[in-house]
Amino acid sequence: MLPAVEAWFATHTWQQPPWTVDELVALKRGRTVSVVLPALNEEATVGDVVGVVRPLLGTLVDELVVMDSGSTDRTVEVASAAGARVVRREDVVPWLEPLPGKGEVLWRSLAATSGDLIVFLDSDLVEPETAFVTALLGPLLLDADVHLVKGFYRRPLRLESSGGGRVTELVARPLLNTLRPELSGVVQPLGGEYAATRSFLESVPFAAGYGVEIGLLLDVHRVHGLSALAQVNLGVRKHRNRSLLQLGVMSSQIMGTALARCQVDFDSGPLTQFVQVDGEWLPDSTDVLVADRPPMVHVVEER
Ligand SMILES: O=c1ccn([C@@H]2O[C@H](COP(=O)(O)OP(=O)(O)O[C@H]3O[C@H](CO)[C@@H](O)[C@H](O)[C@H]3O)[C@@H](O)[C@H]2O)c(=O)[nH]1
Ligand SMILES: O=C(O)[C@H](O)COP(=O)(O)O
């Protein structure tokens, strides 16, 4: 590792986050916390994720919102019955037609919530834990220079105990090592479990699709430097594993956002993949959306 990265890793990585809920509540000092769960057709898991955050409502957490991304299953009903406020993507910033993608709902969530600190958790988590929220908030509440806290974990892949995080290991980390070596010490650059200050989140653009996490990481580093970034060990994280073809599209969006943030010219045409039909391998093209939403602070000001 670069010496600067080694020094950052030693001081900004929490291998065993030590904080209790009471300690963190005492550190809030008037600051408020929103927890946001983006969800697209997650009826099987969203209830459990809401369920692990709910015990913190009224103490460490001030609001809990599920941002629905156009679900056609029972996600909205399940999330609401579990105790979350559900916001549909058309309900906020209604004058702009929603773009498809996860980043779009995270961006809209800034206008749907009011917390000074925002915690994002994916809603496809299996066996989530309340401690994810406490651990992610620790560095933000302790250190005013920190603006983004990423979770890291062991990642099972289906029935294996490890081997998950394929896009992370094969695309995102090699890409960051090459394009922005100062970020090579981030264990899970793509992880969907992270917390940040509203002031930072509102000040930067959001990639509408799966580029949102790598974009925020590159931007926090560009705007505030490495010392504004911390990472906490959350133990184990299990989620629904997507197919290789789906991960190919995700990887293209992530590369597109990273290259654009690093001023590398590229052509964001459709992605060609190959599928087997009746014994033959045929090309299949998918459009890759690499669009940015502007900083939310400008959107609200202009209105
Ligand atoms: O259009 C979408 C797509 C996904 N999601 C939700 O976003 C979360 C993560 O999506 P998923 O498709 O499960 O992504 P992963 O395969 O888990 O991808 C990893 O890598 C992505 C790219 O960085 C991150 O966005 C994810 O959080 C991270 O877990 C889930 O709660 C989804 O329901 C939406 O709300 N809208
Ligand atoms: O974060 C990632 O790398 C992708 O979501 C893929 O994760 P998986 O290999 O655990 O399915």
Side-chain angles (χ1 to χ4, degrees):
M1 273 203 276
L2 297 170
V5 179
E6 215 168 302
W8 169 80
F9 191 90
T11 53
H12 287 72
T13 300
W14 301 85
Q15 302 281 1
Q16 291 170 318
W19 312 288
T20 64
V21 174
D22 288 345
E23 283 165 350
L24 293 179
V25 170
L27 285 170
K28 279 173 85 178
R29 299 195 187 100
R31 286 173 289 182
T32 52
V33 173
S34 306
V35 175
V36 172
L37 279 42
L40 176 61
N41 295 330
E42 305 291 8
E43 63 178 12
T45 47
V46 69
D48 280 355
V49 187
V50 169
V52 297
V53 182
R54 261 198 76 174
L56 299 174
L57 261 179
T59 56
L60 186 57
V61 172
D62 299 278
E63 64 178 338
L64 167 56
V65 168
V66 168
M67 278 302 299
D68 185 63
S69 184
S71 298
T72 51
D73 68 357
R74 296 188 63 255
T75 294
V76 168
E77 291 83 346
V78 173
S80 167
R85 174 160 69 92
V86 180
V87 178
R88 291 180 175 80
R89 53 188 177 170
E90 315 62 34
D91 295 343
V92 267
V93 197
W95 59 94
L96 291 179
E97 182 80 15
L99 294 172
K102 176 189 177 186
E104 176 77 6
V105 289
L106 295 190
W107 180 71
R108 284 174 189 256
S109 79
L110 302 179
T113 58
S114 62
D116 302 304
L117 307 176
I118 302 183
V119 180
F120 294 122
L121 301 178
D122 283 354
S123 53
D124 68 329
L125 295 178
V126 176
E127 298 171 14
E129 291 178 22
T130 304
F132 284 10
V133 178
T134 42
L136 288 167
L137 284 167
L140 285 174
L141 289 168
L142 276 172
D143 182 347
D145 291 335
V146 170
H147 283 278
L148 178 65
V149 181
K150 296 288 293 187
F152 63 93
Y153 14 63
R154 175 164 65 79
R155 302 190 54 172
L157 178 61
R158 300 193 193 95
L159 298 178
E160 304 293 327
S161 69
S162 62
R166 291 164 287 171
V167 178
T168 303
E169 299 304 331
L170 302 175
V171 178
R173 302 198 70 264
L175 199 59
L176 288 172
N177 265 263
T178 307
L179 294 175
R180 197 70 71 82
E182 280 221 320
L183 291 175
S184 59
V186 180
V187 185
Q188 291 290 337
L190 302 185
E193 293 65 44
Y194 50 105
T197 57
R198 172 173 294 274
S199 62
F200 163 65
L201 292 172
E202 287 189 346
S203 72
V204 290
F206 270 51
Y210 285 117
V212 62
E213 279 78 27
I214 206 156
L216 290 174
L217 200 53
L218 287 161
D219 283 343
V220 82
H221 177 248
R222 176 182 55 83
V223 177
H224 294 289
L226 203 48
S227 60
L229 183 61
Q231 54 186 352
V232 290
N233 188 354
L234 302 181
V236 183
R237 179 228 206 205
K238 295 188 213 163
H239 72 144
R240 175 224 328 98
N241 300 109
R242 292 199 178 275
S243 70
L244 271 183
L245 289 183
Q246 289 175 318
L247 296 184
V249 177
M250 176 188 286
S251 301
S252 296
Q253 291 186 0
I254 289 167
M255 282 194 290
T257 299
L259 294 175
R261 292 287 190 284
C262 296
Q263 281 82 47
V264 179
D265 270 344
F266 65 100
D267 178 10
S268 71
L271 172 70
T272 304
Q273 296 174 307
F274 291 87
V275 290
Q276 209 177 5
V277 181
D278 296 333
E280 294 188 6
W281 286 93
L282 302 177
D284 183 47
S285 279
T286 308
D287 285 331
V288 177
L289 177 74
V290 185
D292 270 349
R293 286 304 198 178
M296 185 55 85
V297 71
H298 300 327
V299 175
V300 173
E301 268 166 15
E302 277 162 21
R303 204 70 190 174

